[in-house]
Amino acid sequence: MENTENHPFQEVINELKENNVRITGSENAHKLLFKLCKFKEIRMNGSPATCAKNGDLRRNKVIKQAKGILAEYKLTGLLILPVHFKQKGRETKYKHDGNATANRNLWNSSNRAKADNHKKPVLYSYNSKKA
């Protein structure tokens, strides 16, 4: 096991280990911040590249910002994330109704025309003149 006693964010690592969060010792600042946010139930982007894209920044700048956020957390105990670090909410098309086998994209009522909407074939009469 690695000795992480000289890590700059050792207090954060100790807090996470006390709460049974898996720490490998090779996390960068962004990954450590992600694990802390997950423990605190704050939604955050797990990828520094996604955060960088959302904030129109470079990936290295995002990791530096993560270091600053962790340093601030060590001093104050408050976890304040910039907007581009937060994960965007996903819009769900359907609410879960408990039926895991329902494939809503293949339901007959939504994908096929109903039988009563079809035009009936033209009926020709047989009353023609006899010659």
Side-chain angles (χ1 to χ4, degrees), residues 101-116:
T101 60
N103 189 350
R104 290 165 180 83
N105 293 329
L106 297 177
W107 280 355
N108 289 338
S109 63
S110 64
N111 284 345
R112 292 186 185 167
K114 296 190 187 255
D116 57 351

Side-chain angles (χ1 to χ4, degrees), residues 28-38 42-56 62-63 66 69 81-90:
N28 62 14
H30 189 273
K31 192 66 174 177
L32 199 59
L33 180 62
F34 174 74
K35 289 184 177 188
L36 181 64
C37 286
K38 191 171 182 180
I42 300 171
R43 293 180 53 152
M44 179 185 149
N45 282 316
S47 166
T50 304
C51 294
K53 184 178 80 171
N54 292 343
D56 199 24
V62 169
I63 293 176
I69 293 168
L81 296 177
V83 175
H84 58 277
F85 271 75
K86 295 179 182 175
Q87 187 176 20
K88 294 179 181 177
R90 294 184 180 152

Side-chain angles (χ1 to χ4, degrees), residues 126-131:
Y126 295 107
N127 56 359
S128 59
K129 286 185 176 182
K130 291 183 182 178

Side-chain angles (χ1 to χ4, degrees), residues 59-105:
R59 183 181 179 276
N60 292 340
K61 178 72 174 173
V62 169
I63 293 176
K64 283 182 184 178
Q65 286 178 342
K67 288 178 183 178
I69 293 168
L70 286 173
E72 188 71 25
Y73 177 74
K74 278 179 19 180
L75 293 175
T76 63
L78 298 174
L79 193 57
I80 301 170
L81 296 177
V83 175
H84 58 277
F85 271 75
K86 295 179 182 175
Q87 187 176 20
K88 294 179 181 177
R90 294 184 180 152
E91 296 178 17
T92 55
K93 190 171 182 181
Y94 302 103
K95 292 184 179 177
H96 185 60
D97 58 357
N99 186 1
T101 60
N103 189 350
R104 290 165 180 83
N105 293 329

Side-chain angles (χ1 to χ4, degrees), residues 20-32:
N20 299 327
V21 177
R22 185 171 179 251
I23 301 292
T24 62
S26 62
E27 289 91 0
N28 62 14
H30 189 273
K31 192 66 174 177
L32 199 59

